[in-house]
Amino acid sequence: LRNVNSGVDMGAVEAPTNTSPIQTKEIPNYTVGIGDIINLDFNSYFIDPNSTMLSYEVFNLPDGFVLYDSGLLNGSVTESNFSELPFTIELTVSDGYLPITRNIMLNPINMAPAKSELIESVIVNLNEVISINLDTYFTDPNNTQLTYASTELPGSISLDPTGVLSGSIDAELIDRLPLTINFTVNDGEYEISESITIYAKNLPPVVNSELPVLELLQADVLDIDLNSYITDPNNTLLTFNKITSIADLTLSDGGILSGTISQSLYEQLPIVFEFSVNDEEFVITEEINITPKNIAPIKVHEFENYEFKTGDAININLNDYFYDSHISELKFNTTSNFLGLTLNESGILSGTVDVD
């Protein structure tokens, strides 16, 4: 400062030199996971030697993060922005004249695999070939390639390390269904356990052995298990119901047809016994033929003694002496011709007696 007019010379006073902001301590890099919250006050890391108020600016931030004018960086790690990690935040600190730049790293912590949607059960038929990509049901927050494994696989099914469950539904496997297969999903550090269930497609009951024709006599006792003839491909417990109403016969829910053949029922034979079989979804109707067991005709009267002479006309109905409970018309025949008489199939013995 000089005042020449007054004759006073105080010498020259120079303006202070501006100095760029100074970083007082290292800014940490962050390793974060979903749900973490970042609150970083940059004023704790920078000062200005000239006591000038500093300003802060960033040129890129993950979604959901904001830098306030005060120098506070704030943000939450979400599933959405976690996928952007690792992320470099480029920070500029300025006193209005001399800026400096620094980088802050946001690194992702390794997180366990997660199930992204409900695993659907598989419904199969016998001999069906399956190929199910389990990898479609899982995600890895760090986009790490997942590895799949199982120690509980039936012989005809395999699980590829990439998550493809495949194989053929053979007869041995179909008998084991429903079957739950447990498996693991691994990202190299974390492992989770999940399962998938294979069900057999429900099929209607089937007659696997021809139903018998029952030949019965009066007083016969009937006790037959219809499960020996009708089965369910899915091993579902079957329910049996009687359709034909016959007083002497009962059919249990479990398929036991039983009863005693009374005289009244015997005289009604043959009959068709109809019943239904239910597996809770499908109903089939079947029938059993019940017929009388064939037995020899019964002689109900003793033959009379007849006295004939040559020229007598004879006409005797032999049906009067025989009975068959289920055949209304008996057939007769003879191997000899006696006294000139003939016997037709209807049982009429006729002719003119010739004793010569």
Side-chain angles (χ1 to χ4, degrees):
L1 176 64
R2 297 178 182 274
N3 189 339
V4 178
N5 295 327
S6 61
V8 177
D9 188 356
M10 301 178 62
V13 179
E14 296 183 1
T17 302
N18 186 48
T19 305
S20 61
I22 298 173
Q23 183 176 344
T24 59
K25 56 183 177 180
E26 185 178 357
I27 304 173
N29 293 318
Y30 288 85
T31 300
V32 293
I34 295 173
D36 286 348
I37 297 176
I38 301 295
N39 282 303
L40 180 59
D41 187 355
F42 290 126
N43 291 293
S44 300
Y45 298 88
F46 298 93
I47 61 172
D48 186 79
N50 306 101
S51 299
T52 303
M53 179 176 292
L54 300 177
S55 64
Y56 302 91
E57 185 178 4
V58 291
F59 296 99
N60 55 340
L61 279 176
D63 290 341
F65 280 72
V66 61
L67 176 62
Y68 296 100
D69 292 341
S70 62
L72 177 64
L73 176 68
N74 174 263
S76 298
V77 182
T78 64
E79 290 185 10
S80 175
N81 60 31
F82 185 81
S83 63
E84 300 179 45
L85 306 185
F87 195 97
T88 301
I89 298 175
E90 299 177 3
L91 172 69
T92 298
V93 185
S94 176
D95 61 357
Y97 300 99
L98 299 174
I100 61 174
T101 60
R102 296 292 185 270
N103 291 335
I104 302 99
M105 290 294 300
L106 297 180
N107 294 307
I109 191 173
N110 187 37
M111 300 188 70
K115 184 166 64 176
S116 57
E117 60 182 285
L118 183 67
I119 300 175
E120 297 180 357
S121 299
V122 184
I123 301 176
V124 297
N125 287 316
L126 177 63
N127 298 324
E128 183 176 344
V129 176
I130 63 171
S131 181
I132 305 158
N133 188 1
L134 298 177
D135 200 51
T136 60
Y137 297 101
F138 297 90
T139 58
D140 187 82
N142 305 90
N143 294 319
T144 304
Q145 176 67 51
L146 300 176
T147 302
Y148 298 78
S150 175
T151 59
E152 302 179 1
L153 296 172
S156 61
I157 300 294
S158 63
L159 178 58
D160 186 271
T162 61
V164 177
L165 184 72
S166 61
S168 177
I169 308 301
D170 57 22
E172 180 181 352
L173 178 55
I174 204 81
D175 287 339
R176 295 176 59 186
L177 303 185
L179 176 67
T180 297
I181 297 176
N182 296 307
F183 61 92
T184 58
V185 185
N186 193 304
D187 70 350
E189 178 181 359
Y190 293 108
E191 183 174 275
I192 62 173
S193 297
E194 287 293 338
S195 64
I196 185 171
T197 301
I198 301 177
Y199 293 92
K201 183 177 181 180
N202 190 35
L203 299 172
V206 295
V207 178
N208 58 11
S209 181
E210 185 177 356
L211 290 166
V213 174
L214 302 178
E215 295 183 344
L216 302 173
L217 294 173
Q218 182 178 330
D220 277 353
V221 176
L222 183 63
D223 187 12
I224 180 171
D225 187 355
L226 297 180
N227 289 284
S228 301
Y229 303 93
I230 300 176
T231 59
D232 187 81
N234 305 92
N235 296 320
T236 304
L237 183 65
L238 298 176
T239 301
F240 294 76
N241 290 286
K242 182 169 65 173
I243 297 176
T244 304
S245 180
I246 301 175
D248 293 337
L249 300 182
T250 61
L251 178 61
S252 70
D253 290 346
I256 305 300
L257 178 62
S258 60
T260 301
I261 307 303
S262 66
Q263 180 180 349
S264 173
L265 175 56
Y266 187 68
E267 291 174 351
Q268 296 176 50
L269 302 183
I271 60 174
V272 176
F273 177 76
E274 191 175 14
F275 62 96
S276 66
V277 188
N278 190 315
D279 72 349
E280 298 180 358
E281 180 180 358
F282 294 105
V283 178
I284 64 171
T285 301
E286 294 295 333
E287 59 185 36
I288 291 179
N289 289 297
I290 305 176
T291 65
K293 188 173 184 179
N294 191 29
I295 57 176
I298 301 171
K299 187 170 72 173
V300 295
H301 300 293
E302 291 296 327
F303 289 113
E304 300 177 19
N305 292 321
Y306 293 94
E307 293 183 0
F308 302 106
K309 62 182 183 292
T310 299
D312 284 349
I314 300 297
N315 192 296
I316 302 172
N317 189 350
L318 297 183
N319 286 282
D320 296 336
Y321 298 91
F322 296 93
Y323 169 77
D324 189 287
S325 58
H326 283 283
I327 299 177
S328 59
E329 295 184 5
L330 296 174
K331 291 184 178 183
F332 296 79
N333 65 74
T334 182
T335 58
S336 63
N337 230 345
F338 180 68
L339 299 177
L341 303 179
T342 59
L343 177 64
N344 65 20
E345 285 188 350
S346 300
I348 305 301
L349 181 65
S350 62
T352 301
V353 176
D354 182 4
V355 297
D356 294 333

